[in-house]
């Protein structure tokens, strides 16, 4: 025991002398006592994190998810929670609650437990579920270093590589360690309920029904989501919304089979041309949707413009990195642009290209479209607008493959399939969730974090918020450049440590 304590002490004192007490990008940490506490706890935190990373969590593998769920239930039970899986279709949510009989408020926390599949050959380590510690070399390559580096030459730029290191076992490990830290100061004055999603990577198809079914159990005053990356500058961030998503597939038809373009060009109608004309009529060259009323309800007031301008985006640098010179003209800036619904062509297919190019009139053309929704968007309304627009161009629009009779009766046919996936959400900075998250980060860093009115991406949170009618805030605790979903996913050690402190500081706000 003594040896263990000595080791931890050595760890803590080594770290505090080597790790500069600075925020990962923004400035000086204000709550040094909390930071020191986290540093002391870091050896155990890394061990817990490595154990969690060693559990495969491919969302498609039920056996993996079962073992992972048992681990989570055990981890929460050990921390005074009552924990079990919730009865529902699909892969069940893991639920944990710690009730304080004197509490007046309840905080619901969302964590994501499942992960993307792995292709071990693409990883620069033997097993994506066996975490490795790496240091970046001068030539930019990442090289495996012994775990003892964390005690010897510890620097915050070391990274831990494994599947779900950032998305999203990092936040789970950080949350568990944060619970241990705040427990040392006595019980929280609110009830804490936690749901852990095991189907996030497939769009949480069973989550909305499960939330409705367990509405009473999940009753809370606010939702905190510890997931996702911060602003790309890696500065502390609170995100108060996310866009929703709906998908549309359009198919146009030519002859039944591809036909010789010499024999039938100028005679057989070309589906690629028709599809291009449809798509071209929907948007201007500079990216604005031309379908009337598509942006209805979304405006940028002077106040909102002022608020959005506080986000420190370096758009010149961003354009250099992304490789274009002029942005679409939906908003004046990146932040303004994501306050509107989008209509994005995400894939196109007709005939063959490059080496396979053939002299044919194709049989059909397909476009895949996604619509990112904002809170003001009604997905069914937007889908109807698209449908009406295509009809106004003279097309016969159906939701299935046309019959022979229909082909003979209608010169221009489009099959349109659509699906609202989930809605958008947005909470106010002065809502309970907004205040708890923003104050928690402000207290730890001594300055207000970047507050994003909405992230551009989509997370399956809207069903929870709509059913429970509570505000929500997303508190990212991992680095932005973490390779999530790709091979060689990682978490920066400095972010791992500060993420624990961020979560502890947020949870420590009395209610
Ligand atoms: Zn993901």
């Amino acid at each position: 025991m003594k040896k263990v304590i000595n080791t931890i002490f050595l760890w803590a004192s080594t770290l505090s002398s080597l790790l500069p007490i600075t925020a990962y990008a923004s400035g000086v940490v204000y709550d040094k006592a909390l930071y020191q506490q986290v540093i002391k706890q870091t050896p155990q935190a890394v061990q817990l994190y490595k154990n969690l990373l060693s559990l495969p969590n491919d969302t498609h593998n039920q056996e993996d998810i079962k073992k992972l769920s048992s681990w989570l239930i055990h981890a929460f039970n050990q921390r005074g929670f009552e924990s079990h899986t919730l009865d529902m279709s699909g892969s069940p949510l893991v639920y944990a609650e710690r009730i304080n009989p004197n509490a007046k408020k309840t905080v619901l926390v969302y964590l994501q437990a499942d992960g993307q599949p792995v292709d071990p050959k693409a990883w620069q380590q033997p097993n994506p579920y066996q975490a490795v510690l790496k240091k970046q070399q001068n030539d930019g390559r990442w090289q495996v270093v012994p775990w003892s580096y964390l005690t010897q030459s510890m620097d915050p730029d070391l990274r831990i590589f494994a599947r779900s290191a950032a998305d999203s076992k990092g936040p789970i490990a950080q949350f568990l360690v944060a619970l241990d830290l705040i427990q040392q100061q006595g019980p929280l004055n609110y009830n804490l309920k936690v749901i852990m999603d095991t189907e996030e990577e497939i769009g949480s198809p069973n989550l909305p029904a499960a939330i409705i079914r367990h509405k009473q159990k999940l009753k809370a005053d606010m939702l905190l989501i510890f997931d996702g990356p911060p602003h790309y500058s890696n500065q502390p961030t609170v995100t108060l919304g996310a866009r929703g998503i709906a998908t549309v597939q359009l198919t146009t038809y030519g002859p039944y089979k591809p036909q010789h373009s010499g024999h039938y060009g100028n005679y057989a109608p070309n589906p690629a041309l028709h599809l291009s004309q449809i798509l071209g009529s929907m948007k201007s060259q500079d990216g604005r949707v031309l379908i009337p009323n598509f942006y209805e309800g979304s405006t940028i007031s002077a106040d909102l413009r002022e608020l959005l301008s506080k986000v420190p985006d370096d758009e010149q640098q961003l354009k250099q990195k992304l490789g274009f010179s002029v942005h679409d003209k939906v908003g004046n800036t990146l932040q303004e642009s994501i306050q509107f619904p989008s209509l994005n062509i995400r894939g196109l297919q007709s005939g063959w290209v490059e080496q396979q190019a053939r002299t044919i009139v194709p049989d059909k053309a397909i476009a895949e479209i996604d619509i990112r929704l904002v809170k003001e968007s009604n997905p069914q309304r937007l889908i109807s607008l698209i449908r009406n627009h295509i009809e106004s161009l003279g097309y016969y629009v159906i939701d299935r493959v046309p019959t022979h009779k229909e082909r003979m009766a209608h010169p221009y046919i489009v099959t349109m399939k659509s699906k609202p996936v989930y809605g958008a959400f947005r909470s106010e900075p002065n809502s309970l969730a907004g205040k708890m998250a923003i104050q928690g980060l402000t207290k730890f860093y001594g300055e207000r974090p970047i507050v994003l009115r909405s992230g551009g991406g989509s997370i399956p949170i809207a069903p929870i918020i709509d059913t429970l009618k509570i505000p929500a805030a997303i508190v990212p605790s991992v680095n932005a450049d973490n390779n999530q979903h790709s091979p060689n996913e990682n978490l920066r050690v400095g972010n791992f440590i500060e993420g624990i402190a961020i979560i502890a500081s947020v949870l420590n706000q009395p209610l």
Side-chain angles (χ1 to χ4, degrees):
M1 188 63 191
K2 188 156 181 266
K3 189 157 181 259
V4 173
I5 290 168
N6 278 344
T7 311
I8 293 167
F9 179 73
L10 177 68
W11 222 94
S13 54
T14 311
L15 280 188
S16 38
S17 58
L18 288 171
L19 253 187
I21 301 196
T22 55
Y24 37 78
S26 70
V28 176
V29 163
Y30 185 73
D31 190 346
K32 293 190 177 68
L34 173 60
Y35 190 73
Q36 289 300 340
Q37 250 189 309
V38 177
I39 294 292
K40 268 190 202 158
Q41 196 74 16
T42 304
Q44 294 96 316
V46 170
Q47 194 50 53
L48 179 145
Y49 183 39
K50 280 167 71 179
N51 291 345
L52 178 57
L53 291 171
S54 74
L55 295 162
N57 65 341
D58 181 346
T59 189
H60 302 96
N61 188 330
Q62 288 303 306
E63 278 310 302
D64 286 357
I65 296 296
K66 245 190 221 164
K67 281 185 202 149
L68 176 71
S69 301
S70 305
W71 189 95
L72 292 168
I73 288 171
H74 181 68
F76 276 86
N77 285 346
Q78 272 185 326
R79 288 166 175 83
F81 284 75
E82 203 177 302
S83 181
H84 52 90
T85 53
L86 289 185
D87 188 23
M88 60 184 276
S89 332
S91 190
L93 283 173
V94 180
Y95 175 73
E97 67 175 22
R98 203 164 65 184
I99 302 298
N100 176 344
N102 302 318
K104 293 198 175 61
K105 293 269 188 282
T106 299
V107 175
L108 178 64
V109 167
Y110 171 95
L111 298 168
Q112 177 202 333
D114 63 319
Q116 291 275 331
V118 292
D119 172 10
K121 290 191 297 295
W123 284 70
Q124 286 152 7
Q125 68 195 69
N127 180 348
Y129 295 113
Q130 288 302 321
V132 292
L133 183 68
K134 291 190 181 185
K135 186 175 169 60
Q136 194 166 33
Q137 307 302 298
N138 291 336
D139 61 5
R141 282 181 311 112
W142 288 92
Q143 195 167 12
V144 175
V145 293
W147 287 98
S148 58
Y149 265 46
L150 286 177
T151 54
Q152 292 158 9
S153 61
M154 159 65 181
D155 87 67
D157 287 325
L158 292 171
R159 294 195 184 204
I160 295 166
F161 284 74
R163 168 53 85 225
S164 295
D167 176 29
S168 221
K169 285 175 175 172
I172 296 179
Q174 290 166 324
F175 184 78
L176 289 168
V177 178
L179 285 175
D180 293 339
L181 286 178
I182 54 180
Q183 192 58 23
Q184 295 167 11
Q185 297 151 26
L188 298 169
N189 75 339
Y190 55 85
N191 300 319
L192 192 50
K193 299 179 176 178
V194 184
I195 46 174
M196 284 158 271
D197 195 349
T198 57
E199 292 186 327
E200 199 274 349
E201 298 295 2
I202 50 168
S204 308
N206 301 297
L207 185 70
I211 302 295
I212 292 169
R213 185 168 179 178
H214 299 284
K215 192 176 165 181
Q216 277 312 315
K217 189 182 254 313
L218 300 175
K219 214 166 168 285
D221 297 286
M222 73 178 89
L223 174 67
L224 295 176
I225 301 135
F226 296 109
D227 197 7
H231 182 257
Y232 71 88
S233 61
N234 203 29
Q235 292 182 55
T237 305
V238 170
T239 306
L240 294 173
R243 290 202 286 187
I245 186 166
T247 58
V248 174
Q249 184 193 59
L250 300 177
T251 307
T252 50
Y253 301 90
Y256 271 126
K257 288 188 177 145
Q259 295 295 335
H260 192 287
S261 65
H263 300 161
Y264 292 105
N266 281 357
Y267 185 74
N270 189 308
L273 174 72
H274 288 160
L275 187 61
S276 312
Q277 288 168 334
I278 292 169
L279 297 172
S281 70
M282 288 182 178
K283 288 179 93 168
S284 62
Q285 190 177 31
D286 59 8
R288 275 191 70 80
V289 175
L290 298 172
I291 301 170
N293 303 323
F294 189 85
Y295 297 119
E296 195 178 87
S298 301
T299 48
I300 306 278
S301 66
D303 283 357
L304 179 55
R305 178 158 291 140
E306 163 77 19
L307 183 82
L308 296 172
S309 70
K310 292 196 174 125
V311 179
D313 290 329
D314 183 340
E315 294 196 32
Q316 273 322 102
Q317 192 192 50
L318 192 63
K319 283 174 190 155
Q320 290 282 344
K321 191 175 154 194
L322 297 177
F324 54 80
S325 56
V326 177
H327 63 76
D328 277 355
K329 290 293 179 299
V330 180
N332 292 324
T333 62
L334 170 63
Q335 292 304 319
E336 286 185 24
S337 303
I338 60 174
Q339 310 305 321
F340 293 91
S342 71
L343 181 66
N344 172 53
I345 303 164
R346 57 185 177 140
L348 273 178
Q349 199 172 307
S350 190
W352 291 266
V353 297
E354 296 188 319
Q355 297 301 314
Q356 284 85 38
R358 299 169 197 189
T359 45
I360 49 110
V361 177
D363 56 336
K364 63 181 176 184
I366 303 176
E368 298 286 358
I369 292 171
D370 61 51
I371 305 171
R372 295 284 173 170
L373 309 162
V374 295
K375 209 179 161 192
E376 291 75 16
S377 313
N378 173 336
Q380 291 300 357
R381 188 183 78 87
L382 295 182
I383 288 167
S384 301
L385 286 178
I386 293 170
R387 189 190 164 98
N388 295 344
H389 172 76
I390 298 171
E391 280 174 346
S392 77
L393 300 173
Y395 286 87
Y396 174 63
V397 182
I398 50 177
D399 60 2
R400 52 181 166 73
V401 176
T403 62
H404 182 70
K405 209 170 152 194
E406 284 170 322
R407 279 179 176 257
M408 295 301 107
H410 301 278
Y412 305 115
I413 303 176
V414 170
T415 298
M416 174 169 166
K417 292 184 177 169
S418 60
K419 193 164 77 172
V421 183
Y422 38 76
F425 86 90
R426 205 171 61 227
S427 297
E428 295 302 318
N430 60 1
S431 64
L432 272 180
K435 276 198 285 197
M436 192 170 180
I438 295 169
Q439 281 171 9
L441 264 74
T442 305
K443 208 169 158 216
F444 180 59
Y445 287 111
E447 59 182 63
R448 197 177 151 90
I450 296 174
V451 178
L452 297 178
R453 183 180 188 243
S454 174
S458 306
I459 50 172
I461 293 303
I464 306 178
I465 294 161
D466 292 345
T467 303
L468 302 178
K469 303 199 178 353
I470 51 176
I474 304 170
V475 181
S477 60
V478 302
N479 41 301
D481 58 339
N482 60 44
N483 281 352
Q484 72 182 75
H485 291 198
S486 300
N488 306 307
E489 181 177 353
N490 63 80
L491 179 60
R492 184 176 165 270
V493 167
N495 284 75
F496 178 65
I497 292 170
E498 283 186 30
I500 296 169
I502 286 173
I503 295 175
S505 190
V506 170
L507 294 179
N508 247 341
Q509 302 308 301
L511 285 173

